[in-house]
Amino acid sequence: MSRHRRATRLPDRMGAARPRLPSDHTHSFMPIMPAVAAPQTPKPIGLARAAICLVQGVLLYLLFADKAFTDPLIHTAALLACGLVPVVAISGLGNLRPAMLGLWSAVAAIVLTMIGMHAAWRETLLLEVPAITPKWPPMLALVCFFSLIILFIAHSLVLSAAHDRRRLASYATHFDIAWKLFIQLAFSVFFTGALYLAMWLGASLFNLVKIGFLTELMKSSAFLNPLLACAFACALHLTDVRPAIVHGIRGLLLVLMSWLLPVATPLIGGFILCLPFTGLDALWATRHATVALLAAVALLVVLINAAWQNGEMGDSVAPVLRLCARIACVLLLPLTAIAIYALGLRVADHGWTSDRIFAAAALLVASFYALGYIYAAIDKGAWLRRVAPVNLAAAYAAIAVLLALLSPLADPDRIAVNSQIARLESGAVSASEFDYRFLKRQSKRYGAAALLKLKEGKTGPQATLAAEHATRILAESDDYNMFEQYTVKPAQLAMWPASASLPASFPRSDWKRNTGVPPCLIEAQGRCDVFLIDFDADGKNEILMTAIGAFSAPVVFSQAPEGKWTLSARLHGMVQCPLFVDTLKRGDYKLVAPRTRQIEIAGVPLRMETVGAQSLGSCNDLINAVNAAKPPKE
């Protein structure tokens, strides 16, 4: 940073040019001046940005109209490059030297192209003859989101280094540029969406008077893509030439967020203090403990940085915020440690899956923050001064982790397939219980390749049996509906009474999704309470299932004379009603015959709703009825 720029910031940082107000020690305040001076934006830069956005709009039109980049292997790569690289160029104009901007744009284009090509390559359907690469990978949204995060962090680092004219810029510069870029992107997206809604509203109004030219124009990608690209570029340009507005919004947002810290810190701290008394079993039973703990870590990191900002606030921050921020830095470590332990238990029991790989990657970055922030919290020097190097290190770590996930190096499906095959070879899971459909339908080309290898019968001590199962799975017709082939595990069904057992004729697989059956019949995370009750007094029990921890109505399954089990009844009013389930578990109920016989017309029963009779239509009705039946207290 030049001597002149440092001099312009020094009075505000040191407090020499502004008298201290009496309220400064009780309220956090917004910095008067941004750490990064706004560059002058000449008119040619605005015209260049408009030209870039027009080129981007044309490229996107050609892409979506299948007039260019039609090879499926480069389709996703072209989308990433055409969608994100122009944003880098527009943002860098006026902030980077032309040579530096060209080099950085080229590097971004190469990296995004490699990410896109790998995303398409991993989705190739090896079991098809010939192998088919889908036009749009199913994980395209996730790939675009991760690519955007990588590009945002990297672009902020590049702009900061260029501003300070050194490889590692000051943290204040990083802070100002990253927040400026974030607010610019957010407002540009908002402006683009508002323009689209305005155009859609105008088209609707013209349709009211039978004028449809605007509607037809909105359907044309040749018009819509350049229009939206130009709108985004214009919004980015306007926020770039009006930095005071961006700085004011940033300051207000950070002040408001910082005052959430005194609320979040006691709540999360209280949760941690309760764990020694409640134990961890209830936490494991949620089956999403790792995600919840990671969300708590992310919230604390954001709020700590909202209070600390660029590190130049010092004693001007309210004492309660400084105390809560220091405590929150300490809370990160136990939260991350418990999340790692929870993930470790799942991996030890069931091996790695794609979701667990993503969770492990997030925990790796969270560990940077947890260890670094506790190191900052115990520092006796300036308030949390060590947060700055930790944030910079975590930014580089996040880029490295995300790039690894989006490449063959740490592809989640590749690691998951290798883990599951290793469990099969070691005998941790038997060949008869191994999930071969996971390899065929959920793990992309890596799983398909592994399944073909298992078919050869040369993998591990259970090779022969595994080859038989792999051959059978490969021969099945594949409609890509994994829910229709799920097999219920005994641990998912809690029988009442415990001595009861599910009829052997009841199917444990092939239940279809969206047919009203409980989650325990179609997914691994579902669990159900099961009651055997003879509802129709024919000497054979029907099956009543109630979902545990899921919004699903209790259902009754009946067996037809030919032996087929079908869904015969639902109790919509008893969704997530603990009293109903507890009553069934205690056996505190009785079966009653219907008071009114049904009428059949042409062999079809006529449904009648009796008038005047009390019925339990909801869980609240059940609670009121039970309370009314209790004897009065003396």
Side-chain angles (χ1 to χ4, degrees):
M1 185 183 296
S2 66
R3 182 180 302 174
H4 172 70
R5 285 177 178 162
R6 293 190 182 186
T8 57
R9 287 172 46 200
L10 187 58
D12 184 55
R13 292 174 62 182
M14 302 302 295
R18 185 182 67 87
R20 183 176 294 277
L21 300 177
S23 60
D24 279 355
H25 68 285
T26 58
H27 300 280
S28 59
F29 71 93
M30 289 181 266
I32 301 301
M33 295 288 292
V36 176
Q40 295 296 326
T41 307
K43 186 176 181 180
I45 290 181
L47 296 177
R49 286 171 171 168
I52 292 174
C53 75
L54 285 176
V55 173
Q56 180 189 27
V58 171
L59 290 175
L60 290 176
Y61 159 70
L62 295 175
L63 177 66
F64 287 105
D66 291 331
K67 296 183 178 181
F69 318 112
T70 55
D71 187 338
L73 197 60
I74 66 171
H75 209 68
T76 304
L79 175 64
L80 292 177
C82 295
L84 298 180
V85 175
V87 179
V88 170
I90 293 172
S91 175
L93 276 173
N95 297 298
L96 296 175
R97 290 179 287 109
M100 182 64 183
L101 178 59
L103 177 62
W104 168 226
S105 299
V107 170
I110 292 172
V111 172
L112 291 173
T113 299
M114 295 175 64
I115 290 174
M117 293 185 69
H118 173 258
W121 174 83
R122 71 191 294 273
E123 301 281 348
T124 302
L125 306 177
L126 295 182
L127 302 181
E128 301 289 338
V129 181
I132 300 174
T133 301
K135 180 179 177 181
W136 298 114
M139 292 186 65
L140 178 60
L142 188 62
V143 171
C144 291
F145 178 68
F146 283 171
S147 300
L148 182 60
I149 294 177
I150 294 171
L151 206 58
F152 174 81
I153 298 175
H155 190 54
S156 300
L157 295 174
V158 170
L159 290 179
S160 300
H163 181 273
D164 282 4
R165 295 187 178 181
R166 56 182 183 179
R167 294 182 180 178
L168 187 61
S170 66
Y171 184 77
T173 303
H174 282 297
F175 175 83
D176 284 326
I177 286 182
W179 269 101
K180 175 188 174 184
L181 185 59
F182 174 77
I183 294 175
Q184 282 183 296
L185 293 175
F187 273 83
S188 298
V189 171
F190 172 78
F191 177 76
T192 305
L195 175 64
Y196 178 81
L197 290 177
M199 294 292 295
W200 175 81
L201 177 61
S204 300
L205 291 176
F206 275 103
N207 282 337
L208 296 178
V209 292
K210 307 302 181 182
I211 300 177
F213 80 96
L214 192 54
T215 300
E216 296 300 321
L217 204 58
M218 290 287 289
K219 294 179 181 178
S220 173
S221 58
F223 167 79
L224 197 59
N225 287 330
L227 174 67
L228 297 181
C230 286
F232 186 88
C234 289
L236 205 61
H237 177 72
L238 290 174
T239 54
D240 199 39
V241 299
R242 296 289 187 271
I245 298 176
V246 174
H247 179 68
I249 294 173
R250 185 202 75 187
L252 177 62
L253 180 62
L254 290 176
V255 168
L256 292 176
M257 290 175 59
S258 67
W259 282 105
L260 295 177
L261 197 58
V263 178
T265 301
L267 291 176
I268 296 177
F271 163 76
I272 294 176
L273 292 176
C274 288
L275 291 180
F277 303 98
T278 62
L280 297 177
D281 290 340
L283 191 62
W284 305 155
T286 63
R287 297 181 179 271
H288 56 264
T290 302
V291 176
L293 293 170
L294 278 172
V297 170
L299 176 64
L300 288 182
V301 168
V302 171
L303 297 183
I304 290 169
N305 281 278
W308 193 72
Q309 297 191 21
N310 60 3
E312 298 179 354
M313 310 304 294
D315 294 338
S316 62
V317 179
V320 64
L321 290 182
R322 296 201 302 271
L323 176 62
C324 288
R326 198 177 291 272
I327 295 174
C329 288
V330 177
L331 296 179
L332 293 178
L333 188 59
L335 286 173
T336 306
I338 296 172
I340 293 174
Y341 180 59
L343 181 63
L345 291 178
R346 297 295 294 173
V347 172
D349 291 340
H350 306 289
W352 289 103
T353 62
S354 300
D355 292 341
R356 290 169 197 151
I357 298 297
F358 284 121
L363 284 172
L364 180 60
V365 178
S367 299
F368 272 89
Y369 284 108
L371 296 175
Y373 277 29
I374 200 169
Y375 179 63
I378 62 177
D379 182 24
K380 295 182 180 179
W383 177 55
L384 301 182
R385 60 179 178 176
R386 294 171 177 169
V387 164
V390 173
N391 284 347
L392 290 178
Y396 285 103
I399 292 177
V401 169
L402 290 176
L403 284 175
L405 289 175
L406 297 178
S407 69
L409 180 63
D411 189 292
D413 286 321
R414 182 183 67 82
I415 297 176
V417 168
N418 291 341
S419 172
Q420 297 302 325
I421 293 297
R423 285 168 51 82
L424 177 63
E425 292 178 348
S426 65
V429 58
S430 66
S432 58
E433 296 180 354
F434 185 77
D435 191 355
Y436 300 92
R437 293 186 178 91
F438 165 77
L439 299 180
K440 184 178 181 181
R441 297 174 178 173
Q442 302 177 46
S443 49
K444 315 309 178 205
R445 70 180 297 141
Y446 300 106
L451 192 60
L452 292 172
K453 187 176 180 180
L454 287 177
K455 181 183 177 181
E456 298 175 358
K458 302 178 181 179
T459 306
Q462 307 179 78
T464 303
L465 184 57
E468 294 176 0
H469 285 283
T471 303
R472 177 175 57 83
I473 295 299
L474 287 170
E476 286 183 354
S477 61
D478 197 350
D479 57 0
Y480 300 98
N481 188 353
M482 60 182 177
F483 298 98
E484 295 187 6
Q485 299 295 332
Y486 178 72
T487 301
V488 183
K489 307 298 187 298
Q492 294 180 252
L493 306 178
M495 302 299 301
W496 297 92
S499 58
S501 60
L502 197 67
S505 58
F506 186 81
R508 293 178 177 266
S509 61
D510 295 336
W511 293 102
K512 298 182 184 297
R513 198 184 189 195
N514 299 327
T515 56
V517 298
C520 58
L521 298 181
I522 55 175
E523 57 187 38
Q525 292 77 18
R527 296 177 63 239
C528 291
D529 287 313
V530 182
F531 304 87
L532 302 182
I533 302 174
D534 185 6
F535 284 101
D536 53 10
D538 64 349
K540 296 189 299 184
N541 286 327
E542 281 70 46
I543 299 174
L544 171 63
M545 284 192 182
T546 63
I548 300 175
F551 192 83
S552 178
V555 296
V556 177
F557 293 94
S558 301
Q559 188 177 23
E562 64 272 15
K564 182 179 180 180
W565 288 88
T566 58
L567 186 65
S568 59
R570 294 189 183 93
L571 288 79
H572 291 290
M574 296 298 121
V575 175
Q576 287 188 327
C577 184
L579 180 59
F580 173 71
V581 178
D582 292 341
T583 302
L584 292 176
K585 291 179 180 179
R586 294 194 306 268
D588 189 14
Y589 65 89
K590 62 180 180 179
L591 300 174
V592 294
R595 295 194 178 106
T596 305
R597 300 181 66 184
Q598 289 183 316
I599 299 176
E600 282 191 3
I601 300 178
V604 180
L606 179 66
R607 181 178 180 181
M608 294 187 294
E609 297 180 0
T610 56
V611 179
Q614 181 183 4
S615 61
L616 302 177
S618 68
C619 190
N620 289 333
D621 292 342
L622 176 61
I623 294 173
N624 294 334
V626 170
N627 291 336
K630 292 180 179 178
K633 296 183 179 179
E634 297 181 358

Coordinates of all heavy atoms in Angstrom, one line a residue, residues 9 38 68 109 114 117 122 138 210 214 222 279 350 377 395 401 403 458 474 518 523-524:
R9 N -5.6 6.6 6.0 CA -6.3 5.7 6.9 C -5.9 5.9 8.4 O -6.5 5.5 9.3 CB -6.2 4.3 6.5 CG -6.9 3.9 5.3 CD -6.6 2.5 4.8 NE -6.6 1.6 5.9 CZ -5.9 0.4 5.8 NH1 -5.3 0.1 4.7 NH2 -5.9 -0.4 6.8
A38 N -11.7 3.9 -3.2 CA -12.4 3.6 -4.4 C -11.7 4.1 -5.6 O -11.3 5.3 -5.7 CB -13.8 4.2 -4.4
A68 N -23.8 -24.5 -30.0 CA -22.3 -24.5 -29.7 C -22.1 -25.3 -28.5 O -23.0 -25.5 -27.6 CB -21.8 -23.1 -29.5
A109 N -10.6 -19.6 -16.2 CA -11.3 -20.3 -17.3 C -10.8 -21.8 -17.3 O -11.5 -22.7 -17.5 CB -11.1 -19.6 -18.6
M114 N -11.7 -27.5 -16.3 CA -11.4 -28.8 -15.8 C -12.4 -29.3 -14.8 O -12.7 -30.5 -14.8 CB -10.0 -28.7 -15.1 CG -8.8 -28.4 -16.1 SD -7.3 -28.1 -15.2 CE -7.0 -29.7 -14.5
M117 N -15.5 -30.5 -16.9 CA -15.2 -31.7 -17.7 C -15.2 -32.9 -16.7 O -15.7 -34.0 -17.1 CB -13.9 -31.6 -18.4 CG -13.9 -30.6 -19.6 SD -12.5 -30.6 -20.6 CE -12.6 -32.2 -21.4
R122 N -17.5 -38.0 -14.7 CA -17.9 -38.9 -13.6 C -19.3 -39.4 -13.7 O -19.7 -40.4 -13.1 CB -17.6 -38.2 -12.3 CG -18.6 -37.1 -12.0 CD -18.2 -36.2 -10.8 NE -18.3 -37.0 -9.6 CZ -19.4 -37.1 -8.8 NH1 -20.5 -36.6 -9.2 NH2 -19.3 -37.8 -7.7
P138 N -26.5 -34.6 -12.9 CA -27.5 -34.4 -11.8 C -26.9 -33.5 -10.7 O -27.7 -32.8 -10.0 CB -27.7 -35.8 -11.3 CG -27.4 -36.7 -12.5 CD -26.3 -36.0 -13.2
K210 N -54.7 -9.0 -25.1 CA -54.5 -9.9 -26.3 C -53.3 -9.4 -27.1 O -53.3 -9.6 -28.4 CB -55.7 -10.0 -27.2 CG -57.0 -10.3 -26.4 CD -56.9 -11.7 -25.7 CE -58.1 -12.1 -25.0 NZ -58.0 -13.4 -24.3
L214 N -44.6 -9.5 -26.2 CA -43.6 -9.5 -25.1 C -43.5 -10.9 -24.5 O -42.4 -11.3 -24.1 CB -44.0 -8.5 -24.1 CG -43.0 -8.1 -23.0 CD1 -41.7 -7.7 -23.7 CD2 -43.5 -7.0 -22.0
A222 N -32.5 -16.0 -27.1 CA -31.7 -15.0 -27.8 C -31.9 -13.6 -27.3 O -31.0 -12.8 -27.4 CB -32.0 -15.1 -29.3
G279 N -26.3 -36.8 28.1 CA -25.6 -37.8 27.3 C -25.7 -37.5 25.8 O -26.4 -36.6 25.4
H350 N -20.6 -47.9 9.2 CA -21.2 -48.1 7.9 C -20.3 -47.7 6.8 O -20.6 -47.8 5.6 CB -22.5 -47.3 7.8 CG -23.5 -47.6 8.8 ND1 -24.2 -48.8 8.9 CD2 -23.9 -46.9 9.9 CE1 -25.0 -48.8 10.0 NE2 -24.9 -47.7 10.6
A377 N -8.4 -16.7 21.2 CA -9.1 -16.3 22.5 C -8.2 -16.3 23.7 O -8.4 -15.5 24.6 CB -10.2 -17.3 22.7
A395 N -9.3 -19.5 4.4 CA -9.7 -19.2 3.1 C -8.9 -20.0 2.1 O -9.5 -20.6 1.1 CB -9.5 -17.7 2.8
V401 N -9.7 -27.6 -0.3 CA -10.7 -28.6 -0.1 C -11.7 -28.7 -1.2 O -12.0 -29.8 -1.6 CB -11.3 -28.4 1.3 CG1 -12.5 -29.4 1.5 CG2 -10.3 -28.6 2.4
L403 N -11.5 -27.6 -4.3 CA -10.9 -28.1 -5.5 C -10.7 -29.6 -5.5 O -10.9 -30.3 -6.5 CB -9.6 -27.4 -5.8 CG -9.7 -25.9 -6.3 CD1 -8.3 -25.3 -6.3 CD2 -10.3 -25.9 -7.6
K458 N -13.4 -62.0 -8.7 CA -12.0 -62.0 -8.3 C -11.7 -61.0 -7.2 O -10.6 -60.6 -7.0 CB -11.1 -61.6 -9.5 CG -11.3 -62.5 -10.7 CD -10.4 -62.1 -11.9 CE -10.6 -63.0 -13.1 NZ -9.8 -62.5 -14.3
L474 N -26.9 -56.3 -12.2 CA -26.7 -55.8 -13.5 C -27.7 -56.2 -14.5 O -28.0 -55.4 -15.5 CB -25.3 -56.3 -14.0 CG -24.1 -55.6 -13.3 CD1 -22.8 -56.4 -13.7 CD2 -24.0 -54.2 -13.7
P518 N -44.9 -45.4 5.1 CA -44.0 -44.7 6.0 C -42.6 -44.7 5.4 O -42.2 -45.5 4.6 CB -44.1 -45.6 7.3 CG -45.4 -46.3 7.1 CD -45.6 -46.6 5.7
E523 N -36.5 -45.8 2.8 CA -35.2 -45.1 2.9 C -34.6 -45.6 4.2 O -35.2 -46.0 5.2 CB -35.4 -43.6 2.9 CG -36.3 -43.1 4.0 CD -36.5 -41.6 3.9 OE1 -36.6 -41.1 2.7 OE2 -36.6 -40.9 4.9
A524 N -33.2 -45.5 4.2 CA -32.4 -46.1 5.3 C -32.6 -45.3 6.6 O -32.4 -45.9 7.7 CB -31.0 -46.2 4.9

